[in-house]
Amino acid sequence: MILIFDLDDTLYDERSYVESGLRAVADHTQRVFGWDSAESFGFMVEVLEAQGRGRIFDALLERYGKRTQGGVEALVKAYRHHKPSLSLFPAARRALERYEGGAPLYLVTDGHKVVQENKVEALGLWPRFRRVMITHRFGLRHAKPSTYCFERIRAAEGCGWGDMVYVADNPAKDFVNLNRKGMPTVRVLTGLHRDVEAKPGYDARYRIGDLDALPGTLDEIFAG
């Protein structure tokens, strides 16, 4: 059995990273412009909850009449390069402790390479996995739902698709092509996508409430 995990909202709460990044941006604008950091953070959280992440930095700069393309890019850089303080979900910590040393563990995650590397570092995950694969390092065309990274794992381990299991949270991209390969997929109902109804063929073959239920599901998968 080869266990492969997703990162965001599977092993930790991605919202904690977003808020950590917004605090870094608020601190940056206090240093550069003298804006009150707590007030800027509160404003950005309000925009996040009302509109999502797409225009938070535009909105903050517009609020003070300072919006320029260069200004937005500076805030994006402050966000992406900050060093977050993150914690694993308790159930994720227990799952990793259970399987470390007992099964080859891999991490496959989408996202900006610096951002994802900082998350992995903050969570202390580098030594816990045989390999951490940030899909964007291989080119955007290899981001999920591409099976490129999974094929590399399969080749490295010399195993079949049915010998690997992917545990992730997002039914829009995480499972659809792996299902077609015949690979067992497990959806953990945590984070932003927990209530999303998947399109036909897109959901994982198994669903669990959190990673404390993973051992029982793996027993079911490999019972035959």
Side-chain angles (χ1 to χ4, degrees), residues 14-68:
E14 189 180 12
R15 173 72 183 229
S16 65
Y17 176 82
V18 174
E19 291 193 4
S20 174
L22 296 184
R23 286 193 182 90
V25 170
D27 291 344
H28 171 83
T29 58
Q30 180 163 300
R31 288 193 300 272
V32 174
F33 300 114
W35 304 342
D36 182 80
S37 179
E39 187 174 328
S40 295
F41 174 74
F43 174 78
M44 288 188 285
V45 170
E46 288 179 6
V47 175
L48 172 68
E49 293 176 348
Q51 304 174 24
R53 282 189 270 180
R55 295 195 75 257
I56 290 177
F57 302 146
D58 301 75
L60 179 63
L61 293 169
E62 286 168 357
R63 187 182 193 219
Y64 293 99
K66 293 286 188 181
R67 189 196 175 286
T68 63

Side-chain angles (χ1 to χ4, degrees), residues 133-196:
M133 303 181 80
I134 298 170
T135 60
H136 289 202
R137 280 204 168 279
F138 303 95
L140 292 179
R141 68 188 183 283
H142 294 312
K144 295 176 288 185
S146 166
T147 60
Y148 177 82
C149 288
F150 301 91
E151 174 58 42
R152 289 180 65 115
I153 294 170
R154 193 190 67 78
E157 294 293 339
C159 65
W161 288 98
D163 299 316
M164 303 188 294
V165 178
Y166 191 44
V167 184
D169 71 298
N170 187 347
K173 63 178 183 178
D174 284 336
F175 313 115
V176 56
N177 286 335
L178 298 178
N179 289 338
R180 292 169 181 159
K181 295 283 188 181
M183 181 172 163
T185 51
V186 179
R187 177 181 173 187
V188 58
L189 301 175
T190 47
L192 183 65
H193 305 289
R194 61 183 175 274
D195 297 321
V196 172

